Amino acid sequence: MSTAVIEKQRSAAALLGRLARAREAGLVVALFLLFGATAIVNPRFIGVQSLKDILLNTAIVALLAVGQTLVVVTRNIDLSVGSVLGLSAFVTGLLFADHDIPIAVAFVVGIVIGAVCGVINGVLVAVCRIPALVVTLGTMYVFRGLDYWLAEGRQINAADMPEAFLKLGSGSFVGIPILVLIALILLAVAAWGMRNLRSGRELYAIGSNPDAARLAGIPVGRRLFVAFVLTGTLSGLAGVLWAARFGTIDATAATGFELNVVAAVVVGGVAIFGGSGTVVGAALGALLLSTIGSALVVLKVEALWERAITGALLLLAITLDRVLAIRAERALRASASRGATTVPTNGNGNSAAAPPPESAPVAENLAEGSTTR
């Protein structure tokens, strides 16, 4: 691959990285403004207990948003996460109620259920090459139907579960809710992996241009399969935590939750068309939507407006993604027209350009894959 093409790819990566950081900074500013404006009306909104409640409401959505990001950056989507969560949550409660199993076993079972659901989605999408939207829309109903079949109208109550397990959903460690700590740890691991692991960076390359990724030697099918399995695994874990958080579980648990997750991911700056975005941005999107919901309650605004605002933010985020993509393309064309597509080389004749930033490593992987074939 010529140095001109490599430099053009690196320029695209750097530009997308700056745009992604700007989106995340914008979310932080929006959160501060929202907290400040609501606190003026009701100062208790920024009290310790209120902040804990907001973080607890965000934790499970953020956990699912992390998994959803792994799929969305590859230009796919998983609509079954809410049903997987509900299935895992009910089975967890059922095992406690009927078999009095250890807490560790409950976590293992819930995670395995999520992983199996992820394997089903991954095989249908990556191996059978059926569009992810169609596959996960179908499995969303299949997994929910299985949940109803197991429940048979039954409801699991908090009294059926161990007190130590329920404390995971309401307890704190050094003042921070345990549920939030679990979400933060997994968020940090996912962020590190997508930045530093080759397999993580290749997800961006696949979302940017699947055909070019294949030509560059990236195992697209394998990466997609793993992404869906990881998303399912996190959804299964979220189901166990859902049971610990709410205590009362039936077959309707987390119905429609997948829409909240997709909204959080897109509002958080993950491009619905794939190729850019970070798990940190997705988590910030989840926090913003959760804070909006809590603020509307404090401001005594009717609950129906929460859905309207979420939908408006979703449309705004998609529109903004498209506008930024067009501006990035124009900037690259302008740079090319000024003759900025050459790159200095070092003594060995290799490119001396700096590596791309975290949020846009697409070009680096395509360049590496093509030059090493």
Side-chain angles (χ1 to χ4, degrees):
M1 181 177 288
S2 66
T3 56
V5 175
I6 295 176
E7 176 63 15
K8 185 176 180 180
Q9 291 175 338
R10 292 183 182 276
S11 298
L15 181 58
L16 288 173
R18 290 194 295 271
L19 293 176
R21 288 192 294 271
R23 286 287 296 275
E24 292 173 7
L27 289 171
V28 173
V29 172
L31 281 167
F32 274 110
L33 292 176
L34 181 59
F35 274 109
T38 309
I40 292 175
V41 178
N42 189 339
R44 288 181 297 178
F45 186 69
I46 55 175
V48 175
Q49 187 58 48
S50 176
L51 294 177
K52 282 186 176 181
D53 290 339
I54 291 174
L55 290 176
L56 282 171
N57 292 335
T58 303
I60 294 179
V61 181
L63 189 59
L64 291 176
V66 169
Q68 190 72 246
T69 300
L70 301 177
V71 173
V72 173
V73 295
T74 66
R75 204 180 289 188
N76 288 284
I77 195 168
D78 189 347
L79 296 177
S80 68
V81 291
S83 297
V84 175
L85 185 156
L87 180 60
S88 173
F90 187 82
V91 171
T92 298
L94 192 64
L95 290 175
F96 279 130
D98 293 349
H99 303 285
D100 194 25
I101 63 171
I103 295 176
V105 174
F107 271 94
V108 171
V109 171
I111 290 172
V112 169
I113 289 174
V116 170
C117 293
V119 167
I120 294 173
N121 287 333
V123 168
L124 292 174
V125 174
V127 179
C128 300
R129 297 195 177 184
I130 304 174
L133 179 63
V134 177
V135 168
T136 58
L137 182 62
T139 55
M140 176 182 73
Y141 289 110
V142 171
F143 299 151
R144 182 64 65 180
L146 180 59
D147 197 4
Y148 274 98
W149 177 73
L150 288 173
E152 296 181 335
R154 182 179 177 181
Q155 184 180 77
I156 307 297
N157 299 311
D160 299 319
M161 291 180 272
E163 185 66 25
F165 176 71
L166 295 174
K167 284 184 178 180
L168 293 176
S170 58
S172 299
F173 178 74
V174 296
I176 303 175
I178 297 174
L179 204 60
V180 175
L181 287 174
I182 294 173
L184 287 174
I185 292 171
L186 292 173
L187 172 64
V189 172
W192 180 88
M194 294 192 76
R195 175 187 175 90
N196 296 290
L197 297 180
R198 183 180 181 86
S199 56
R201 298 195 301 268
E202 286 175 347
L203 295 178
Y204 289 102
I206 294 170
S208 178
N209 191 325
D211 293 331
R214 288 189 179 91
L215 291 174
I218 295 175
V220 174
R222 189 188 311 164
R223 295 289 178 260
L224 290 179
F225 176 79
V226 172
F228 276 99
V229 172
L230 289 176
T231 301
T233 301
L234 289 175
S235 299
L237 173 61
V240 181
L241 297 177
W242 177 286
R245 170 80 173 106
F246 297 103
T248 302
I249 316 160
D250 58 20
T252 64
T255 298
F257 213 58
E258 56 278 341
L259 300 180
N260 296 339
V261 175
V262 172
V265 168
V266 176
V267 170
V270 181
I272 197 67
F273 305 108
S276 66
T278 65
V279 292
V280 174
L284 287 173
L287 179 58
L288 177 62
L289 294 180
S290 178
T291 305
I292 289 174
S294 299
L296 292 179
V297 174
V298 171
L299 298 175
K300 299 181 180 179
V301 178
E302 293 184 17
L304 62 90
W305 284 105
E306 181 180 356
R307 290 289 183 181
I309 293 172
T310 300
L313 288 175
L314 187 60
L315 291 175
L316 178 62
I318 293 174
T319 302
L320 182 60
D321 279 337
R322 184 57 183 162
V323 171
L324 292 177
I326 293 174
R327 292 185 63 182
E329 184 178 356
R330 289 177 178 175
L332 288 174
R333 288 178 179 176
S335 177
S337 66
R338 292 194 300 267
T341 57
T342 58
V343 59
T345 59
N346 55 26
N348 297 324
N350 297 322
S351 170
E358 168 192 0
S359 56
V362 179
E364 178 187 28
N365 286 278
L366 290 179
E368 289 178 356
S370 298
T371 55
T372 56
R373 286 175 62 86

